[in-house]
Amino acid sequence: MLTTIVVGLLVFGVVLAGLLLGGVMRGPTDWQELLTQVLLGGVLLFLDVQGLLSLEAFDVRLARECHGPSERELLQQCISQLAA
């Protein structure tokens, strides 16, 4: 559910960027308006990327809690115990 919202915002930002680019190609654009839209788009992109990275970390944590440590982590624990 949360991933759908974040991806939806990313798609919304791409659509807005396309509309902005189309407006710039059609004719002269007020630079203040253009700068405002670019700054807001940059903030939206930053928040979307941070949201996707956070969701990835959450998925990894949830998988570890549900399925236990990975095979590599188990091997590292065995090596540490044998070395001790």
Side-chain angles (χ1 to χ4, degrees):
M1 171 72 179
L2 196 56
T3 305
T4 306
I5 293 171
V6 173
V7 172
L9 286 174
L10 187 60
V11 169
F12 179 68
V14 169
V15 170
L16 287 180
L19 291 173
L20 177 64
L21 186 60
V24 168
M25 294 299 210
R26 272 181 274 170
T29 305
D30 181 25
W31 286 104
Q32 286 181 330
E33 181 182 337
L34 180 65
L35 181 62
T36 302
Q37 290 178 357
V38 168
L39 286 174
L40 289 175
V43 169
L44 179 63
L45 179 63
F46 174 78
L47 292 174
D48 280 334
V49 169
Q50 291 300 314
L52 289 173
L53 292 174
S54 297
L55 286 173
E56 178 186 3
F58 177 71
D59 285 344
V60 168
R61 182 176 167 202
L62 188 62
R64 276 204 183 122
E65 287 182 12
C66 291
H67 302 292
S70 69
E71 197 172 312
R72 181 180 182 144
E73 290 171 340
L74 290 173
L75 286 173
Q76 287 288 14
Q77 288 175 358
C78 288
I79 291 171
S80 297
Q81 288 175 353
L82 290 172

